[in-house]
Amino acid sequence: MQNQNQSFIQMLAQAIENEWNAHDFYKRLGGDTSNRLFRDYIKHAEDDELNHYQMFQHLYFQLTGQYHEFEPEPVSYRSFEEGVIKAQKDEFEAAEMYRQMLFIIPTPLAYQPLFIAMTDEMEHATRFGTIYGRLK
């Protein structure tokens, strides 16, 4: 059980970093389009990612007694289209990771933030898919 708890903490730390980096990524990506619908969809995801980051940091603190510190790693992309594709892929991967984490939660406190983030990521993937479809 201790090994499973450690795996959860490591995955949570990665989730914290991913959420912060996604928030920063979407802030930049939203500035790369003049389409109001696209900007609204991206801003929605950007705001959710910040909320996930805050929820996960709070959970990390509850489990470890400290916040997770890290160096942000900006997501790079060469074009708006490439950014949208990368965003959708990252959203699917995040939802998958959160589903895996739900199977090993060390405390019921982890259920709500993981479920919220997992379902939000699927919504974001749909939004990015809609943007990509409108680009073609």
Side-chain angles (χ1 to χ4, degrees), residues 2 15 25 44 47 51 66 73 85 97 115 121 123 130:
Q2 183 63 27
F25 172 27
H44 181 92
D47 292 346
N51 185 48
Q66 60 192 8
E73 293 182 26
I85 293 167
M97 184 170 90
F115 186 81
E121 304 301 0
E123 176 192 337
T130 298

Side-chain angles (χ1 to χ4, degrees), residues 60-90:
Y60 192 90
F61 185 85
Q62 289 176 308
L63 296 174
T64 68
Q66 60 192 8
Y67 292 105
H68 176 62
E69 294 184 28
F70 64 98
E71 283 295 319
E73 293 182 26
V75 175
S76 62
Y77 57 98
R78 292 183 295 249
S79 67
F80 180 74
E81 181 177 334
E82 181 183 299
V84 168
I85 293 167
K86 174 152 186 42
Q88 186 182 43
K89 179 180 173 283
D90 290 351

